[in-house]
């Protein structure tokens, strides 16, 4: 408001001054009946005062209305004048989630929203700053004008995965509007508008965030933003969808059958249900199968049905399949799902020992499990390769000793085991520790199993690998010589408690079974598995090495050799190996056992334990598998299937990459430089993140040499099942944030301009009404003043 107009309001007191100056005194008339005249005088004075007050109020009102009229006020309420000249800071939130691909009348919701958003821009003042936020990318900046916003909307891609909720996009809109004046260098506060184009499905609107969004909105400087939500959703959608494709485990042996379960759902189906045909097709050039399989299922309206598939005679390698519905429908993006799994030989571990016969039980234990193959070599077979990394050199076929030796990089093994190696640090400068240290510092895994007393060079272990070993060997402890004697050893399958002097068991209490190495044992107990015998009939240890734990190491399990937990000796320890370039980042891992697993002429081995005794317990096979599976990773937990928009980590081949290697990424939407990954020789995995993972499909990674694959891996991406739920979020949940009446169903035959005039409207301009009021009061004042002063005279 102009300061001069404010000062002009002070002229309201001018009529008071004029009335005081022109005040009329009644005439004095001598009259006989003085008493009656005096009474008449009082009556006249009351009438004069009333008329003076009315005239005074009218004149004051004229001046006040005149000043207010010159200010030209408007009645704003919560509406916007988007068709005026003043710019409107506008954030357009466009839902690009997969459900926006739903087609009605040969046009998808997304295409309709895109056209309506462009139509909406025509209603804005040309110089309005605009942001276009798509729910798959909330990182956006202010565009200088409406024309730039139009080009941005036209460039939007079709609906895809990797979207956040519309609620998250509204939060991003508030953050942009809070700083719009600074970022656009606007001299005056701007009107603010949030326009949302969505199908309002339940997955797109997070009602739990409403209160937080209200608080965030209050942080925006005035004027607060006005909202309008354009609803493109169908009230009665019809859709048949593949909701999921599941396979457990996703790594199987070559002779196993792959069991896949496909879940199909239907909504809006006519009659009692809809018949759907599901087709399973292998990806050419990747899967080792050569034919498609189809199955028919009837799905009741509003329900789901599962369809099992069995794939037999699969060959070793990566397998990728595509599952699709034969008949298309209104939402195509959930008619197809993708699956990746692996069929392969057992994963490899390397065992290094001075006497290969000493590792026979250890090797057989892994053969029985069929999960890991175990190569046994001697320390002299570990050498330094051309690239500076340790390699193992061996003969592939013992029956052909003259065949060229096989040379494998140590990094190609899932784990390495030192089993009763006498002098791992000899010869000095070229011992096993010098060869294993780079392997561990780049993510390698190592198991150290001690030998008998007098055989090991303790200095080689305690001093030569003090930066790697979880502890230092001190002496051998015999349970029968412990004082005090160990407590009684209890087990559910034993007739009576055994004396601890005759051997101690591992303490498999709640804390120990929480560790990832031993956690499967708790699962066996809950599932009543055959493997539960490892608890019912546990193995005992008579001799073990006393180990002084390194401060950076942790104890996985103790022996039950003392009543007090703090007095018990460690049975299994572990220590992480740090990256030499970043001491805060763990790379490799070393697991140390304190009892023997090597085999000698005596049975059990040198009277140390009965781990290799098969009678009554599967510990002889279960325990070695637990050790290696913990370090190498459990294939039961392996996953190659992710939701769109996820960040996927793919382990790179160990020992097959060098500094110049290039990993080729293939899949939907991967083009140009996005298809090339240059990891370097020390990178252990490749991370593929959005927007590369926004599209559903099968993806593969490969390293090629001489026009052939030397390594191939892959994964699949699928849209989340929630995107197939086309039910709308409750209207009141949306209006709780945006305001009542601000959610507008959009149909093709209604002009957007008409919707805006009803929803946003315009501020009411009070200038013409105030001007009429001034004229009316002037006329009234003149009429009253003329009659008043005429009577006074």
């Amino acid at each position: 408001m102009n300061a001069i107009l404010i000062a002009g309001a002070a002229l309201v007191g001018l009529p008071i001054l004029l009335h005081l100056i022109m005040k009329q005194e009644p005439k004095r008339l001598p009259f006989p009946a003085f008493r009656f005249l005096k009474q008449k005088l009082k009556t006249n004075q009351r009438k004069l005062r009333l008329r003076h007050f009315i005239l005074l109020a009218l004149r004051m009102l004229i001046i006040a209305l005149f000043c207010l009229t010159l200010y030209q006020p408007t009645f704003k309420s919560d509406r916007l004048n988007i068709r005026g000249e003043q710019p409107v800071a506008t954030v357009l939130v466009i839902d690009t989630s997969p459900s926006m691909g739903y087609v009605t009348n040969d046009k998808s919701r997304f295409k309709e929203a895109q056209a309506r958003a462009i139509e909406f821009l025509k209603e804005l003042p040309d110089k309005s700053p605009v942001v276009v936020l798509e729910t798959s990318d909330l990182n956006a900046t202010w565009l200088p004008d409406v024309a730039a916003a139009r080009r941005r909307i036209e460039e939007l891609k079709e609906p895809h995965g990797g979207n956040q909720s519309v609620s998250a996009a509204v939060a991003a809109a508030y953050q942009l509007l809070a700083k719009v004046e600074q970022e656009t260098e606007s001299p005056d506060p701007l009107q603010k508008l949030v326009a949302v184009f969505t199908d309002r499905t339940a997955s797109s609107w997070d009602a739990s965030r409403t209160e937080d969004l209200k608080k965030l909105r209050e942080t925006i400087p005035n004027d607060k933003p006005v909202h309008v939500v354009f609803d493109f959703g169908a009230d009665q959608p019809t859709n048949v969808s593949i909701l999921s494709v599941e396979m457990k485990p996703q790594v199987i042996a070559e002779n196993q059958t792959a069991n896949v379960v496909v879940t199909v759902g239907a909504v809006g189906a006519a009659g009692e249900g809809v018949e759907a045909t599901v087709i399973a097709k292998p990806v050419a050039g990747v899967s080792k199968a050569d034919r498609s399989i189809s199955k028919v299922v009837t799905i009741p309206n509003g329900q789901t049905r599962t369809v099992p598939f069995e794939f037999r005679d699969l060959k070793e390698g990566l397998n990728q399949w595509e599952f699709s519905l034969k008949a298309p429908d209104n939402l195509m993006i959930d008619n197809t799902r993708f699956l990746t799994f692996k069929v392969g030989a057992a994963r490899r571990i390397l065992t290094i020992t001075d006497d290969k016969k000493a590792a026979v039980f250890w090797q057989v234990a892994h053969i029985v499990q069929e999960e890991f193959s175990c190569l046994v070599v001697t320390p002299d077979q570990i050498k330094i390769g051309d690239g500076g990394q340790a390699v193992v050199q061996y003969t592939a076929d013992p029956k052909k000793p003259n065949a060229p030796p096989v040379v494998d990089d140590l990094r190609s093994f899932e784990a390495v085991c030192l089993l009763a190696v006498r002098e791992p640090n000899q010869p000095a400068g070229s011992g096993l520790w010098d060869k294993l240290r780079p392997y561990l510092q780049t993510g390698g895994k190592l198991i150290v199993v001690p030998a008998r007393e007098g055989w090991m060079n303790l200095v080689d272990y305690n001093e030569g690998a003090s930066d790697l070993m979880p502890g230092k060997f001190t002496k051998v402890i015999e349970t029968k010589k412990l004082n005090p004697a160990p407590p009684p050893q209890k087990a559910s399958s034993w007739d009576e408690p055994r004396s601890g002097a005759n051997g101690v068991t591992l303490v498999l209490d709640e804390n120990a079974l929480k560790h990832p190495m031993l956690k499967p044992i708790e699962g066996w107990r809950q599932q009543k598995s055959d493997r539960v015998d490892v608890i019912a009939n546990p193995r005992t240890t008579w001799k073990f090495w006393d180990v002084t734990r390194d401060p950076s190491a942790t104890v996985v399990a103790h022996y039950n050799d003392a009543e007090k937990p703090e007095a018990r000796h460690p049975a299994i320890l572990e220590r992480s190996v740090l990256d030499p370039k970043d001491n805060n980042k763990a790379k490799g891992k070393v697991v140390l056992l304190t009892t023997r697993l090597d085999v000698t002429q005596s049975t059990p081995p040198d009277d140390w334990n009965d781990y290799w005794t098969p009678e009554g317990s599967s510990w002889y096979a279960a325990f070695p598998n637990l050790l290696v599976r913990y370090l190498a990773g459990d294939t039961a937990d392996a996953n190659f299937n992710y939701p769109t928009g996820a960040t996927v980590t793919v382990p790179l081949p160990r020992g097959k990459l060098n500094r110049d290697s290039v990993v080729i990424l293939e899949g939907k939407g991967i083009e140009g430089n996005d298809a090339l990954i240059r990891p370097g020789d020390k990178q252990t995995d490749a991370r593929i993140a959005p927007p590369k993972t926004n599209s559903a499909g099968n993806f593969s990674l490969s390293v090629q040499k001489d026009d052939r694959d030397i390594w191939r891996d892959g994964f699949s991406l699928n849209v989340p099942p929630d995107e197939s739920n086309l039910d709308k979020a409750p209207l009141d949940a949306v209006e709780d944030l945006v305001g009542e009446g601000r959610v507008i169903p959009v149909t093709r035959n209604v002009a957007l301009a008409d919707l805006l005039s009803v929803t946003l409207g315009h501020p009411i301009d009070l200038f013409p009404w105030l001007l009429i009021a001034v004229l009316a009061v002037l006329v009234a004042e003149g009429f009253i003043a003329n009659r008043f002063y005429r009577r006074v005279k």
Side-chain angles (χ1 to χ4, degrees):
M1 182 180 289
N2 195 301
I4 297 176
L5 296 179
I6 298 175
L11 296 178
V12 171
L14 182 60
I16 301 175
L17 181 61
L18 293 176
H19 275 267
L20 292 175
I21 295 174
M22 299 177 65
K23 184 175 182 182
Q24 299 292 325
E25 293 291 336
K27 294 182 180 182
R28 296 178 180 270
L29 297 175
F31 202 77
F34 183 75
R35 181 172 58 86
F36 297 103
L37 291 176
K38 189 175 181 180
Q39 183 178 358
K40 184 65 175 178
L41 174 62
K42 292 180 179 180
T43 303
N44 288 341
Q45 285 178 336
R46 284 196 298 267
K47 291 180 179 180
L48 286 173
R49 281 197 297 270
L50 178 60
R51 291 169 182 171
H52 275 292
F53 177 77
I54 295 173
L55 195 58
L56 176 63
L58 285 173
R59 288 171 177 171
M60 293 173 65
L61 181 60
I62 290 172
I63 295 175
L65 285 175
F66 187 72
C67 293
L68 185 61
T69 303
L70 292 178
Y71 179 58
Q72 298 185 9
T74 57
F75 182 73
K76 289 188 176 181
S77 70
D78 59 348
R79 298 179 179 271
L80 284 179
N81 185 15
I82 64 172
R83 295 191 179 95
E85 295 181 358
Q86 184 181 359
V88 180
T90 304
V91 180
L92 301 182
V93 176
I94 300 180
D95 190 352
T96 56
S97 60
S99 62
M100 288 290 286
Y102 188 86
V103 175
T104 54
N105 299 324
D106 300 326
K107 193 173 186 179
S108 69
R109 293 172 175 174
F110 173 75
K111 286 295 184 183
E112 183 70 20
Q114 198 174 25
R116 293 294 187 155
I118 293 174
E119 184 181 349
F120 177 84
L121 292 177
K122 297 178 182 178
E123 304 295 324
L124 294 176
D126 291 337
K127 297 300 181 181
S128 296
V130 181
V131 166
V132 179
L133 276 179
E134 55 177 317
T135 52
S136 63
D137 184 8
L138 303 185
N139 297 317
T141 57
W142 289 101
L143 301 172
D145 51 38
V146 172
R150 178 189 177 96
R151 291 192 295 271
R152 176 72 182 91
I153 293 173
E154 291 173 343
E155 293 171 355
L156 292 178
K157 297 180 180 180
E158 290 290 330
H160 50 267
N163 284 260
Q164 299 190 52
S165 67
V166 172
S167 303
V170 171
Y174 289 165
Q175 293 171 349
L176 289 165
L177 290 171
K179 300 179 180 180
V180 60
E181 283 84 5
Q182 298 94 312
E183 294 185 6
T184 60
E185 299 180 355
S186 175
D188 300 314
L190 294 170
Q191 301 179 87
K192 302 177 181 69
L193 173 63
V194 178
V196 181
F197 299 79
T198 178
D199 56 4
R200 213 185 89 205
T201 56
S203 62
S204 69
W205 194 267
D206 186 359
S208 64
R209 297 193 60 176
T210 299
E211 293 304 319
D212 291 336
L213 289 175
K214 289 180 179 179
K215 294 177 182 178
L216 184 59
R217 181 179 59 196
E218 291 304 313
T219 63
I220 302 174
N222 290 333
D223 295 336
K224 301 301 181 187
V226 176
H227 304 73
V228 59
V229 177
F230 298 103
D231 180 6
F232 298 89
D235 292 326
Q236 294 181 334
T238 300
N239 184 41
V240 180
S241 58
I242 300 179
L243 297 175
S244 65
V245 176
E246 296 180 339
M247 175 180 172
K248 287 289 185 179
Q250 295 177 13
V251 176
I252 61 175
E254 191 170 357
N255 58 348
Q256 284 185 292
T257 299
N259 296 299
V260 180
V261 177
V262 179
T263 303
V264 186
V267 294
E272 297 182 356
V274 62
E275 187 177 84
T277 301
V278 182
I279 302 174
K281 181 175 65 175
V283 176
V286 178
S287 296
K288 303 304 184 286
D290 56 2
R291 63 186 180 89
S292 299
I293 305 173
S294 63
K295 290 190 176 184
V296 179
V297 60
T298 300
I299 313 134
N301 181 24
Q303 298 185 30
T304 62
R305 289 292 182 267
T306 57
V307 185
F309 284 85
E310 291 185 351
F311 304 134
R312 303 177 184 275
D313 302 323
L314 298 173
K315 303 300 181 182
E316 179 184 341
L318 183 71
N319 276 260
Q320 292 185 320
W321 289 72
E322 178 182 305
F323 297 82
S324 59
L325 297 176
K326 183 177 181 180
D329 63 358
N330 293 331
L331 184 59
M332 294 295 296
I333 202 164
D334 62 2
N335 289 352
T336 304
R337 285 195 170 267
F338 307 90
L339 175 69
T340 294
F341 62 92
K342 290 183 180 178
V343 178
R347 295 181 290 170
R348 301 198 307 163
I349 62 173
L350 177 68
T351 299
I352 306 172
T353 182
D354 287 315
D355 181 4
K356 291 184 179 181
K357 293 181 179 179
V360 62
F361 279 16
W362 169 262
Q363 189 176 27
V364 170
H366 294 295
I367 294 175
V368 170
Q369 291 292 106
E370 297 183 348
E371 186 174 352
F372 297 96
S373 66
C374 181
L375 175 65
V376 180
V377 298
T378 55
D380 61 294
Q381 292 180 266
I382 308 300
K383 305 179 183 298
I384 299 296
D386 296 336
Q389 289 285 342
V391 298
V392 55
Q393 181 175 308
Y394 61 96
T395 302
D397 187 351
K399 297 180 180 180
K400 299 178 180 179
N402 296 326
V406 177
V407 178
D408 279 341
D409 195 302
L410 235 59
R411 292 174 296 179
S412 65
F413 294 90
E414 300 290 342
V416 175
C417 176
L418 290 189
L419 183 66
V421 175
R422 184 173 187 176
E423 296 180 319
N425 209 37
Q426 303 299 323
S430 184
L432 281 177
W433 293 128
D434 297 318
K435 298 170 183 176
L436 291 172
R437 190 172 281 108
Y439 162 74
L440 292 169
Q441 291 173 345
T442 55
K445 309 296 190 298
L446 177 66
I447 302 171
V448 179
V449 184
R452 64 182 182 273
E453 189 176 17
W455 172 261
M456 292 193 309
N457 184 341
L458 296 184
V459 175
D460 277 12
Y461 283 93
N462 295 341
E463 305 299 333
S466 59
D467 59 328
L468 303 176
M469 288 286 289
K472 293 184 178 181
F473 296 110
T474 57
K475 61 181 179 179
V476 173
I477 295 178
E478 296 185 50
T479 58
K480 62 183 179 182
K481 296 180 180 180
L482 281 173
N483 188 19
Q489 309 294 300
K490 299 180 180 180
S492 60
S493 66
W494 294 350
D495 295 335
E496 59 182 75
R498 296 184 182 180
S499 170
N502 296 326
V504 295
T505 61
L506 294 182
V507 179
L508 297 179
D509 58 7
E510 183 179 357
N511 290 331
L513 295 179
K514 285 182 179 180
H515 192 278
M517 180 190 295
L518 303 176
K519 191 174 182 179
I521 296 177
E522 179 63 22
W524 298 340
R525 178 161 56 187
Q526 293 177 358
Q527 298 170 10
K528 298 181 179 179
S529 167
D530 294 340
R531 290 283 177 89
V532 77
D533 57 18
V534 301
I535 297 178
N537 188 15
R539 301 295 86 179
T540 53
T541 301
W542 302 291
K543 289 183 181 180
F544 56 85
W545 281 95
D546 185 14
V547 173
T548 303
R549 181 179 66 86
D550 187 271
S552 63
T554 58
V555 177
V556 177
H558 291 86
Y559 293 113
N560 186 21
D561 60 333
E563 290 284 357
K564 296 182 178 180
E566 60 271 16
R568 294 168 179 167
H569 290 85
I572 308 170
L573 303 92
E574 69 172 354
R575 179 181 180 181
S576 296
V577 180
L578 302 179
D579 186 341
K581 297 182 180 179
D582 184 359
N583 288 332
N584 294 321
K585 187 176 182 180
K587 282 288 189 177
K589 190 178 291 291
V590 179
V591 170
L592 172 65
L593 305 186
T594 59
T595 191
R596 294 173 55 190
L597 292 182
D598 59 313
V599 179
T600 62
Q601 292 181 352
S602 61
T603 303
D606 208 16
D607 294 331
W608 280 63
N609 56 64
D610 60 354
Y611 281 15
W612 295 130
T613 304
E615 288 80 9
S617 176
S618 57
W619 184 256
Y620 73 97
F623 182 59
N625 184 258
L626 288 174
L627 290 172
V628 178
R629 185 190 290 182
Y630 166 64
L631 295 177
D634 189 352
T635 55
D637 299 329
N639 180 45
F640 311 107
N641 300 276
Y642 303 87
T644 50
T647 297
V648 180
T649 301
V650 180
L652 293 173
R654 299 183 180 94
K656 294 185 178 181
L657 299 181
N658 55 45
R659 189 170 301 173
D660 300 324
S661 296
V662 176
V663 178
I664 301 174
L665 174 64
E666 300 174 89
K668 185 177 180 180
I670 306 300
E671 300 175 347
N673 292 331
D674 289 343
L676 304 179
I677 302 174
R678 302 181 186 277
D681 57 344
K682 293 186 178 181
Q683 188 169 330
T684 58
D685 52 53
R687 296 178 73 254
I688 301 97
K692 293 181 181 179
T693 60
N694 283 346
S695 298
N698 286 316
F699 295 77
S700 66
L701 297 92
S702 61
V703 176
Q704 298 181 351
K705 185 177 181 180
D706 299 329
D707 296 329
R708 65 180 182 87
D709 290 345
I710 62 172
W711 170 80
R712 180 174 285 273
D713 207 334
F715 58 92
S716 294
L717 297 171
N718 291 289
V719 296
D722 290 345
E723 291 295 336
S724 297
N725 180 10
L726 302 179
D727 294 336
K728 290 186 178 183
L731 179 62
D732 56 355
V734 181
E735 289 186 337
D736 187 26
L737 176 67
V738 304
E740 187 175 355
R742 292 297 170 82
V743 179
I744 310 171
V746 180
T747 57
R748 302 182 73 180
N749 55 356
V750 178
L752 192 66
D754 296 336
L755 297 175
L756 291 175
S757 63
V758 174
T759 305
L760 296 181
H762 302 286
I764 301 174
D765 190 355
L766 300 180
F767 177 77
W769 301 101
L770 289 173
L771 191 58
I772 293 173
V774 170
L775 294 176
V777 176
L778 277 173
V779 171
E781 189 274 340
F783 176 77
I784 295 174
N786 289 336
R787 291 179 59 83
F788 173 68
Y789 289 119
R790 184 170 63 248
R791 290 183 179 181
V792 171
K793 293 178 181 179

